Amino acid sequence: MPDHEFLDWPFFEEQHRHVVVELDRWAKDNLRNVPHGNTDDTCRELVRRMGEGGWLRYAVPAGPNASWGGALEQIDSRMICLIRETFARYHGLADFAFAMQGLGSGAIVLGGSEAQKKFYLPRVARGELIAAFALSEPDAGSDVAAMACKATQQGSEYVLDGVKTWISNGDIADFYCVFARTDFLPSARGISAFIVDSNTKGLDTSERIHVMAPHPMAVLKLKQCRLPAEALLGTKGEGFKLAMQVLDIFRASVAAAANGFAARALDEALARSKTRQMFGGVLADLQLTQATLGDMATALDASRLLTYRAAWRRDVYQARTTKEAAMAKMFATESAQQVIDKAVQLFGGQGVVAGECVEGLYRDIRALRIYEGATEVQKLIIARELLRD
């Protein structure tokens, strides 16, 4: 049974509490019978269900006269975090699918023209279009300044050439927000952003990447991809800034997803410890077990406090939360890894059996310590912000 006591914290408003209760009810009915087998088909089905359920409307803003399809006037970081935590608690791929609709369309929200927003965002909100965010390259992951993908302006068109990798929703997305160099300037200057539809000639997404927690991921090869000038997102040369703004919005939500995985692991560990027979009693009778459960619960609460502080600060003060989001992402993902590892330990041999819930969580959590800025990068971000202050 999900623990909603943390919703009483002063970070939240009544609308947040209401949505979590409703989403929890919906998830019980809609995420326990999702067909498994082909990961691509599962993700498409999850996007469809979440679109029909109205949950993807929280991944984009409403826009003028509700023309962008969102549920709220602006993207609410606390709502995004709460939704991701809830989805992660029930189904790792559901969290992934929801997050990518927001991350993949985030550059359009922040930098898109009115025409781009009206075309793409409502379809993202309804689950009719699957979005993707294409920033990383083989030699430019954490070091975005090393980006080599180029966009050459030729008359009224841009021609993109290069390779993107580790692209979530690769090969199933309907469009990609792609970042490429329009000028070869020092550091990250001269990077621009573009919308590349999946049917664009010269775009090859057939090379797949298979990871330990299966989800759609591919290499994007762009060879003489011709785009109209209208595909440019925001101002030419301001793509890096745009990408960082998108990541700043969604970085705290990675922490929230980690909290969801950790919360489920704690639920499973509590249930297991109260039923597993051990030395004439149950596992929960042992003091070492009780100490472990205490550590797990404390780590989860501390992670939530950092997560929702960052989201609350962004929502309420409209403040720059680079440091707070980095702290939340770093601490929550590292803590969740430890919480889930403890849950596997409490399950004993059963914890490493394929198909066991905690075994799946163990695979799910590992990538969160890497994507959207590895733990080591978050430490550098925090230190940089401290020194700047």
Side-chain angles (χ1 to χ4, degrees):
M1 180 68 181
D3 169 22
H4 289 157
E5 285 186 5
F6 73 98
L7 292 174
D8 291 333
W9 293 350
F11 297 124
F12 306 111
E13 300 167 12
E14 193 54 41
Q15 64 173 347
H16 299 114
R17 300 180 180 99
H18 173 76
V19 164
V20 171
V21 172
E22 289 300 311
L23 177 56
D24 187 68
R25 185 179 298 119
W26 182 89
K28 288 177 182 176
D29 295 334
N30 289 273
L31 296 183
R32 287 181 172 168
N33 62 343
V34 177
H36 293 277
N38 184 293
T39 304
D40 292 359
D41 290 343
T42 299
C43 278
R44 291 189 184 100
E45 175 65 13
L46 286 165
V47 170
R48 184 191 68 80
R49 291 189 188 190
M50 289 188 288
E52 289 182 352
W55 303 111
L56 296 179
R57 295 179 63 225
Y58 291 99
V60 301
N65 300 316
S67 59
W68 302 348
L72 303 173
E73 184 177 343
Q74 297 179 334
I75 290 180
D76 186 277
S77 294
R78 289 167 293 175
M79 197 72 82
I80 293 287
C81 288
L82 288 167
I83 291 173
R84 285 201 67 177
E85 177 169 339
T86 304
F87 277 144
R89 195 165 192 158
Y90 282 96
H91 199 296
L93 274 177
D95 162 63
F96 162 81
F98 174 82
M100 286 312 305
Q101 289 297 91
L103 183 66
S105 63
I108 299 176
V109 172
L110 296 178
S113 66
E114 191 61 27
Q116 289 168 334
K117 291 174 181 176
K118 285 184 177 179
F119 180 82
Y120 288 99
L121 298 183
R123 290 169 174 81
V124 168
R126 293 193 296 266
E128 296 170 2
L129 292 180
I130 294 177
F133 183 82
L135 180 65
S136 295
E137 297 184 6
D139 296 315
S142 299
D143 182 10
V144 179
M147 184 178 295
C149 183
K150 63 180 181 179
T152 306
Q153 191 164 8
Q154 295 182 0
S156 61
E157 295 181 320
Y158 285 94
V159 181
L160 271 62
D161 288 281
V163 177
K164 297 290 179 179
T165 191
W166 306 112
I167 308 305
S168 294
N169 274 347
D171 207 30
I172 72 166
D174 296 293
F175 69 91
Y176 301 84
C177 288
V178 177
F179 296 83
R181 283 197 173 278
T182 45
D183 293 294
F184 282 84
L185 299 171
S187 70
R189 291 183 295 163
I191 294 173
S192 301
F194 301 88
I195 301 174
V196 181
D197 291 322
S198 61
N199 61 358
T200 301
K201 187 177 180 180
L203 173 65
D204 179 3
T205 62
S206 61
E207 183 180 338
R208 302 298 294 267
I209 301 172
H210 302 285
V211 291
M212 61 193 293
H215 67 271
M217 181 173 283
V219 175
L220 271 59
K221 299 175 183 177
L222 303 108
K223 186 175 182 179
Q224 290 288 293
C225 284
R226 290 189 172 273
L227 305 175
E230 294 76 24
L232 178 69
L233 276 167
T235 304
K236 182 179 176 181
E238 295 292 321
F240 177 75
K241 181 179 178 181
L242 183 60
M244 295 304 103
Q245 288 173 336
V246 173
L247 292 174
D248 267 358
I249 291 173
F250 288 94
R251 186 165 283 139
S253 78
V254 181
N259 296 339
F261 291 139
R264 180 61 182 271
L266 179 57
D267 287 346
E268 296 292 325
L270 285 166
R272 177 72 168 174
S273 65
K274 290 188 285 188
T275 57
R276 184 183 178 189
Q277 299 297 310
M278 185 74 67
F279 302 121
V282 293
L283 187 60
D285 294 333
L286 303 179
Q287 288 183 329
L288 278 175
T289 301
Q290 294 168 18
T292 297
L293 294 171
D295 286 341
M296 294 165 73
T298 302
L300 175 57
D301 261 19
S303 297
R304 280 173 167 160
L305 285 164
L306 283 170
T307 301
Y308 292 109
R309 177 191 68 160
W312 168 82
R313 182 172 169 77
R314 183 182 181 278
D315 289 340
V316 174
Y317 291 106
Q318 297 294 297
R320 184 171 174 270
T321 57
T322 301
K323 178 178 68 178
E324 292 83 356
M327 286 179 170
K329 201 269 186 185
M330 177 188 72
F331 188 86
T333 55
E334 292 292 330
S335 294
Q337 179 83 60
Q338 296 169 20
V339 168
I340 293 168
D341 186 75
K342 286 178 168 64
V344 171
Q345 197 74 7
L346 288 172
F347 267 71
Q350 192 65 28
V352 294
V353 173
E356 186 67 52
C357 179
V358 293
E359 179 268 341
L361 291 168
Y362 195 85
R363 288 184 288 106
D364 282 333
I365 190 57
R366 189 59 186 86
L368 273 68
R369 293 168 58 201
I370 298 173
Y371 77 70
E372 289 193 38
T375 292
E376 292 76 13
V377 173
Q378 302 310 319
K379 292 178 180 180
L380 295 177
I381 291 171
I382 294 163
R384 183 190 66 200
E385 293 298 308
L386 290 171
L387 293 168
R388 186 204 306 272
D389 292 342

